[in-house]
Amino acid sequence: MSEQTKDAAHDHHSMLLSQGFPSFPTTTTTHDHHLINYSHYPPFMMYHDLQNPTTHQFHHTHHHHNPPHDHDLCSLFLQASADYITTAPSTPFHLSSNNCSSSEVAVCNNNKNWNDSNSHEVVIRDIAAENPPTPNSWRSFSSPEAGSVDEDSSCKGKKDLQLEVCEGGDIGKSKKLKAGKTKEEENKKQREARFAFMTKSEVDNLEDGYRWRKYGQKAVKNSAFPRSYYRCTSQKCSVKKRIERSHEDPSVVITTYEGQHNHHSPATIRGGAAAAFLAPSLFSPPPPAFPILPQVDIFSPSTAAQQYSQQQQPQLPDHHHYSLFPDMLSSFLQNPHDP
DNA sequence: CGAATTTGACCGGCGC
DNA sequence: GCGCCGGTCAAATTCG
């Protein structure tokens, strides 16, 4: 990696620090690309490609906690994501027409240039509703201050649709029950919560802080690209993930997480690879694995926000873009099933 | 040599 | 019942 790229990494990191972001990302370097990974701070994972500074790739990571059950929280969650991505100059993360195969849900922005508008639109795709998936199975969510939906959006006119963030959660259950199934039938197949997201990346298996063992690979119907199956290598952790490349846009990788980790990220514990090339002063003393946050009720986002703001507000910049971030962060960090 | 990956076999769900 | 399909298993193979 060039000195220039190192400097860019350093600058980018310093900028984030000054804005109140956490100080210990890990990094992934492949070919000419250098990615900073903020996966330690679920539900936000952001890859910043320093080789192409106009490209920001961000993910939500639901695998640390139960996904939201409540529509308002879904909205907050998505809004927070939109806010978050808006804080950095970037080109739109263009994914609206992707077919995400067996992924239950994908979240992305939808042909939005975040710089040109203060409106936010997040698109959710629910393949439980339609099979095979079609572009119309993308559902749109607009933030309260959102402007009009893109003219070419396939989601136009579907704002009244309910959000469904994952399969296996209560929202999905109630929906299936509505379709006429009994509770017995419903309990028969209880799948872990899943969350899928898409990223533009040359690398299939993006570093997310956890260690994975591949246990299978299958050809995907109507796709030249196979799907790989991974399990978390940690003992007694049953989290799985699938990785496949979109056949419609081979530059897009679709990652699906299933389940919740019952442990923290090994990369976080070790301090992350970023320390290897970024200024050591930025990373010492070693930060805690996770911020200490109050137990929050994920069904009550407003309460969570209040609790968080009382404890954490001083560390955060006075900038409305970040107002939702700590709320969501605290909601997803607290796992009642943790030992 | 142990760990990780590969890959064909196998299994269960589902639609016809 | 049959075939398709997604997902998993596990023996063989490769890797470090």
Side-chain angles (χ1 to χ4, degrees), chain A residues 56 58 60 81-82 85-86 90-97 106-114 120-124 138 150 198:
Chain A
H56 293 266
F58 87 114
H60 306 272
S81 313
I85 201 72
T86 308
S90 67
T91 54
F93 186 21
H94 188 284
L95 288 168
S96 64
S97 64
V107 176
C108 64
N109 62 18
N110 181 34
N111 298 335
K112 278 287 178 187
N113 185 334
W114 301 96
H120 311 131
E121 181 174 25
V122 180
V123 177
I124 294 183
W138 288 90
D150 287 357
M198 297 189 272

Side-chain angles (χ1 to χ4, degrees), chain A residues 101-130:
Chain A
S101 173
S102 62
S103 304
E104 275 65 23
V105 170
V107 176
C108 64
N109 62 18
N110 181 34
N111 298 335
K112 278 287 178 187
N113 185 334
W114 301 96
N115 294 319
D116 291 346
S117 168
N118 58 8
S119 66
H120 311 131
E121 181 174 25
V122 180
V123 177
I124 294 183
R125 182 166 165 275
D126 174 7
I127 69 160
E130 297 180 45

Side-chain angles (χ1 to χ4, degrees), chain A residues 275-293:
Chain A
F277 73 93
L278 290 173
S281 61
L282 291 174
F283 297 95
S284 57
F290 287 91
I292 308 301
L293 295 166

Side-chain angles (χ1 to χ4, degrees), chain A residues 26-42:
Chain A
T26 58
T27 62
T28 303
T29 303
T30 57
H31 309 299
D32 295 332
H33 294 270
H34 179 77
L35 305 175
I36 296 184
N37 175 4
Y38 297 94
S39 60
H40 309 92
Y41 285 81

Side-chain angles (χ1 to χ4, degrees), chain A residues 42 72 89 122 170 187 198 206 216 259 265 268 333 339:
Chain A
D72 291 335
V122 180
D170 289 345
N187 292 334
M198 297 189 272
L206 290 163
S265 160
T268 302
L333 281 173

